[in-house]
Amino acid sequence: MPIPISNVTRRVVYSASGTGPYAFTFEILANTDIAVFRDDTLLTLTTDYSVTIASNGTGSITLVATPTGATQIAIVGNRTIQRTTDFVTGGDFFANTVNDEMDQQTIFAQQNAEGLQRALSAPQTDPTSINMTLPRASLRANKALGFDANGNPAIADTLGTNRGNWASGTLYYVRDIVKDTTNNNIWQVITQHTSSGSLPIGTNADAAKFTLLVDAAAASTSATNAATSASAASTSASAASTSATAASGSASTASTQASNASTSASNASTSATAASGSATTASTQATNAGTSATAAAASASSASSSASAASTSASNASTSASNASTSASGASTSATNAANSATAASGSATTASTQASNAATSATAAAGSATSAASAQTAAESARDATLAAYDSFDDRYLGAKTSNPTVDNDGNALVAGALYFNSVSGAMQLWTGSAWVAAYVSGSGYLAAANNLSDVSSTASARTNLGLAIGTDVQAYDADLTTLGSGGGSARTFLGLAIGTDVQAYNANIATTNTAQTFTATQTFSGTSSATAIVLNDVAEVTTVSATAATGTIAYDVTTQAVLYYTSNASANWTVNFRGSSGTSLNTLMSTGQSMTVAFLVTQGSTAYYNSAVQVDGTGTGVTTRWFGGAPTAGNASGIDSYRYLIIKTGSATFTVLASNTQFKA
């Protein structure tokens, strides 16, 4: 049965909570038209869940087992995109088949629209020069997506997610960043894998799946070397300082001894002058002074050697300090490189944020496009329904070419009075009078016309000549019997043997004439023959009752007062239609078994639509069998007019079959 397809998203997501039911508001045609996910796991129909479909096409799913550990349940439209119906030229074109096909096409369009809403797309206002084609696979591998100055896709800096310390048995994705805790090195993943083995990463079996970002181990070694060099320099400086102190002490001793020698020499000179006897003593003292001078010279030499050693130690300390400075510079360079890497990562994060913003803008544009597409779809559906209704009405009245008289119309329904078809065997149009097929027109080739034999009808003699009628041969001259007949009256009736009241009827004012308007207050029966119809009608007007009434409750339809009942106020509830002859005459009394009547009920609908929910005859549904074309209605036609047609057939005493159909006329 065809159903309306609502303008809703064909996807709904719930927080996982028990077995359900989990409802969905988009319409489906079969329980295989949806896919159900528990988090990222696709579930299997019947094995994992069951589907319940309501009469309007919406429904719900119920899980077989409680979704332990799951966070969400997603239901999405997933009808297989295919076409199984094919219309053949000159073949059947049933409304229900077309509706099913159009419903299916609408579902396909909504599925695609729902998927596009979750995809990246450029806004409608982008220049036509934009090329959204991605760079080839070999260029974009292990890279992030970015955009160039024109807005076209381009390769951007590599991005990464900080996953912290490396651990075995962990799934790592491309561009993830991890830390080796054995040496503090920082690595980036270049191949997705699940980790195994042990640290350090540089000697792990998966080492080729990483690239080194920060060599912290080398920086640590340089720092250690610098510290060692600085310590050695400090030791050398301390030794130099000790040597310098010792040299200063030796120099001071030598100076004191030299001063003592000078004093001794002065005393010796005084002694030599004072007494020559003291020469020996002076000589001895001079010898002692020479010895002291020699010792002083030796001490001075030792001081000079200590100073030279101190100078060498100082040079070595300077060299060690220089080496320490170089190592420190290397460590500073490594730190600078690490800072640059962090700055690049920050820039990449900014780019990612910009791309996320662009993606959100694109998603908003896609949603706007989807809304426009839905509006266009609604307009197209309205135009489609109007076209199908008009075609169906035409198709019920012109049946096309047939080889024999049809008994039903192209939809399999009862024939409509006034229906036409072309008989391809006789080559003539046929008209359905309501009970029989008759010729729709006759040829005028057999009539006399002024163009042939009646070109001079004003002259009796000429007319006879034109017609080839000679008096006495083709026509008879005057005869007395003809005179008697021509005089009329009783003599003519007597001559013809026609007695009033027996052979002919006299004038009666109650006898209807055919050349004036007549109103029949009693039932008239016109019986044809097996080869002739009873009545041929050119123009018939049916009585229509137009009432500013709203359909609701039980509506009494009197078939003796109208053929069409039209309610112009908006329906306010579902209704029951009750057919009767009139308020004082039942339809069972009015109709005989084997008779049928056709009536119509036009219902105006507001924004909330309702429908005919039950059919009665003479106030009861007992003995009434109703068959609906395409299935009983379940909804009305919002803001339109619903046309209900009923063919009522009396099949027995108080027993009726009603063939009903509903055509929706949209605004």
Side-chain angles (χ1 to χ4, degrees), residues 58 71 147 151 165 182 239 258 271 297 384 406 441 571 579 598:
T58 62
T71 60
F147 297 89
N165 297 336
T182 62
S271 296
R384 174 202 67 194
Y441 62 87
F579 295 107
T598 300

Side-chain angles (χ1 to χ4, degrees), residues 497-587:
L498 302 176
I500 293 176
T502 302
D503 303 299
V504 296
Q505 299 296 323
Y507 170 76
N508 189 325
N510 292 324
I511 297 177
T513 60
T514 59
N515 60 345
T516 59
Q518 302 293 330
T519 299
F520 296 99
T521 59
T523 301
Q524 308 298 315
T525 302
F526 300 93
S527 299
T529 67
S530 60
S531 60
T533 58
I535 299 177
V536 176
L537 302 175
N538 288 332
D539 299 293
V540 177
E542 296 181 326
V543 175
T544 299
T545 299
V546 180
S547 176
T549 305
T552 184
T554 299
I555 299 170
Y557 196 119
D558 295 342
V559 300
T560 57
T561 59
Q562 71 262 313
V564 178
L565 178 58
Y566 181 15
Y567 277 8
T568 59
S569 296
N570 294 338
S572 58
N574 296 338
W575 68 88
T576 297
V577 62
N578 176 44
F579 295 107
R580 64 186 188 182
S582 64
S583 59
T585 304
S586 68
L587 194 61

Side-chain angles (χ1 to χ4, degrees), residues 270-293:
T270 300
S271 296
T273 302
S276 60
S278 299
T280 302
T281 303
S283 177
T284 301
Q285 291 176 340
T287 300
N288 291 337
T291 301
S292 296

Side-chain angles (χ1 to χ4, degrees), residues 159 348-359:
L159 298 177
S348 298
T350 299
T351 302
S353 175
T354 301
Q355 292 172 341
S357 177
N358 293 338

